[in-house]
């Protein structure tokens, strides 16, 4: 029986710690707001944006909502970002992705001032993370590091295999595990012998975006399994990239979906906002 890594509980702990920190920063006269921009009305994005606003309210920081119509031009969006970059009160700027097709995401990400890039997606943030300089860390991978550390999973010297090499999960995850002194293998859609490689992992991190793909044949007895995937199954129930029922008996610890990695992303976003207020 694996230990269940409870992301809901750990993210709540982090938000409670941040709430206290926000109080003490207020006493020092340090406050600030997170600007959350949504373009269009994608229902999934609306849920994420609402959760982010609620998290801000919970820890006690102001959120400014910019709900722009789907027809907003790239120029208009870049103009708004420039305006927010110049506002001292705004300590974080978040543009909810994905954006409508007529807007270039890369241009938008690069328009955000790196000192307000609380998603950690700006090339400067990614570069700083790569060479171990201060900056905002990408929220989902940073959340996974917290999940592991706060669950007492030792990382140093362990072999970590990551499935997926996206810019928002796989690649930054590899860098952060390396920073924690793991030996890291990155796998992707062109990797040969995927299950053999995964079976060597002490810590297996699955971020491939394929519902219930990873079964028992990918997992070494006693491995720690982190499931980043989020999907709806045929019964409209949330599930991950891992076949949970099959893998749980083999693993020593595992994250469930929901209630594993998901809640950590917002907690780490809040962490970045508080860091920005502190440094601002
Ligand atoms: P992505 O589609 O950008 O990347 C998927 C990666 O998996 C790619 O690098 C690809 O090479 C690899 N891959 C695909 N098929 C493969 C295969 N058969 N074998 C080996 N590798 C394969 O996805 P992403 O943005 O990294 O997200 C991954 C999953 O995590 C999605 O389900 C997404 O919804 C979820 N996600 C969750 C959170 C969270 O907060 N919990 C945050 C971000 C993403």
């Amino acid at each position: 029986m694996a230990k269940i890594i409870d992301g809901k509980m750990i993210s709540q702990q982090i938000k409670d710690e941040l709430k206290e920190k926000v109080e003490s920063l207020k006493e020092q006269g340090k406050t600030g707001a997170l600007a959350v921009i949504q373009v269009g009305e994608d229902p999934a994005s609306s849920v994420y944006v609402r959760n982010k606003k609620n998290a801000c309210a919970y820890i006690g920081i102001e959120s400014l909502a910019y709900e722009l119509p789907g027809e907003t031009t790239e120029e208009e969006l870049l103009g708004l970002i420039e305006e927010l970059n110049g506002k001292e009160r705004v300590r974080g700027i978040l543009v909810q992705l994905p954006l409508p097709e007529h807007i270039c995401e890369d241009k938008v990400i690069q328009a955000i001032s790196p000192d307000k890039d609380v998603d950690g997606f700006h090339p400067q943030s990614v570069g700083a993370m790569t060479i171990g300089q201060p900056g905002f860390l990408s929220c989902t991978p940073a959340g996974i590091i917290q999940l592991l550390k706060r669950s007492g999973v030792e990382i140093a010297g362990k072999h970590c295999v990551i499935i997926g090499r996206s810019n928002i999960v796989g690649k930054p995850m590899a860098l952060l595990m390396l920073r924690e002194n793991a030996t890291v293998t990155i796998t992707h859609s062109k990797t040969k012998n995927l299950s053999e490689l995964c079976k060597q992992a002490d810590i297996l991190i699955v971020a491939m975006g394929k519902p219930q793909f990873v079964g028992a044949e990918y997992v070494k007895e006693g491995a720690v399994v982190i499931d980043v995937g989020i999907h709806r199954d045929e019964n409209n129930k949330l599930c991950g990239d891992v076949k949970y029922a099959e893998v749980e008996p083999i693993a020593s610890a595992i994250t469930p979906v929901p209630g594993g990695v998901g809640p950590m992303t917002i907690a780490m976003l809040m962490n970045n906002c508080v860091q920005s207020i502190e440094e601002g």
Side-chain angles (χ1 to χ4, degrees):
M1 273 271 287
K3 170 183 171 165
I4 311 303
I5 299 180
D6 188 346
K8 225 172 146 183
M9 192 255 296
I10 295 173
S11 68
Q12 187 60 45
Q13 261 172 16
I14 292 174
K15 284 189 284 182
D16 287 336
E17 290 164 17
L18 290 171
K19 193 175 177 168
E20 268 185 36
K21 196 158 182 188
V22 168
E23 270 301 310
S24 86
L25 286 171
K26 269 186 195 151
E27 283 163 17
Q28 300 163 41
K30 288 187 169 181
T31 59
L34 169 68
V36 182
I37 305 171
Q38 183 181 359
V39 184
E41 286 159 6
D42 172 54
S45 291
S46 300
V47 173
Y48 288 132
V49 165
R50 191 173 351 112
N51 290 344
K52 287 167 189 177
K53 286 191 232 163
N54 289 344
C56 283
Y58 183 81
I59 68 162
I61 64 178
E62 188 186 352
S63 63
L64 307 168
Y66 295 86
E67 282 151 18
L68 310 181
E71 317 78 71
T72 302
T73 64
E74 186 178 282
E75 205 182 350
E76 285 166 333
L77 178 57
L78 293 174
L80 172 61
I81 292 171
E82 200 182 323
E83 186 190 319
L84 295 170
N85 279 340
K87 280 195 176 159
E88 209 177 307
R89 170 135 201 86
V90 174
R91 293 307 319 144
I93 302 172
L94 183 147
V95 180
Q96 185 63 45
L97 303 177
L99 287 167
E101 270 179 17
H102 64 279
I103 300 179
C104 170
E105 283 187 2
D106 282 347
K107 259 196 203 168
V108 169
I109 289 169
Q110 288 178 37
I112 297 170
S113 172
D115 68 341
K116 300 188 178 187
D117 173 40
V118 285
D119 256 337
F121 292 162
H122 192 284
Q124 189 168 313
S125 306
V126 178
M129 177 177 62
T130 307
I131 57 173
Q133 285 190 355
F136 296 115
L137 299 180
S138 196
C139 298
T140 303
I144 291 171
I145 298 286
Q146 286 300 315
L147 276 183
L148 294 169
K149 287 189 170 173
R150 290 175 185 245
S151 308
V153 175
E154 205 184 310
I155 305 175
K158 295 291 165 65
H159 184 197
C160 173
V161 177
I162 298 165
I163 312 184
R165 58 172 164 186
S166 71
N167 288 340
I168 62 163
V169 190
K171 279 185 208 150
M173 190 71 247
L175 289 164
L176 292 184
M177 289 304 273
L178 195 58
R179 194 192 258 198
E180 297 296 330
N181 297 312
T183 302
V184 180
T185 300
I186 307 173
T187 67
H188 48 79
S189 53
K190 301 279 187 288
T191 297
K192 299 208 164 67
N193 307 328
L194 184 66
S195 62
E196 271 171 45
L197 284 167
C198 291
K199 235 183 158 138
Q200 294 171 27
D202 302 311
I203 301 171
L204 179 63
I205 301 179
V206 189
M208 65 197 305
K210 296 262 181 313
Q212 308 197 49
F213 186 98
V214 170
E217 71 277 21
Y218 288 78
V219 182
K220 178 171 81 177
E221 185 84 40
V224 174
V225 180
I226 305 291
D227 188 355
V228 188
I230 311 177
H231 314 275
R232 295 241 169 227
D233 70 9
E234 61 279 7
N235 304 316
N236 207 30
K237 273 184 70 182
L238 286 174
C239 69
D241 288 351
V242 174
K243 289 177 183 156
Y244 184 87
E246 195 177 304
V247 169
E248 186 270 332
I250 308 169
S252 62
I254 188 167
T255 56
V257 178
V261 174
M264 295 302 292
T265 302
I266 290 189
M268 298 319 287
L269 172 70
M270 293 301 110
N271 185 64
N272 282 349
C273 292
V274 173
Q275 181 185 324
S276 188
I277 291 172
E278 196 171 14
E279 289 165 359

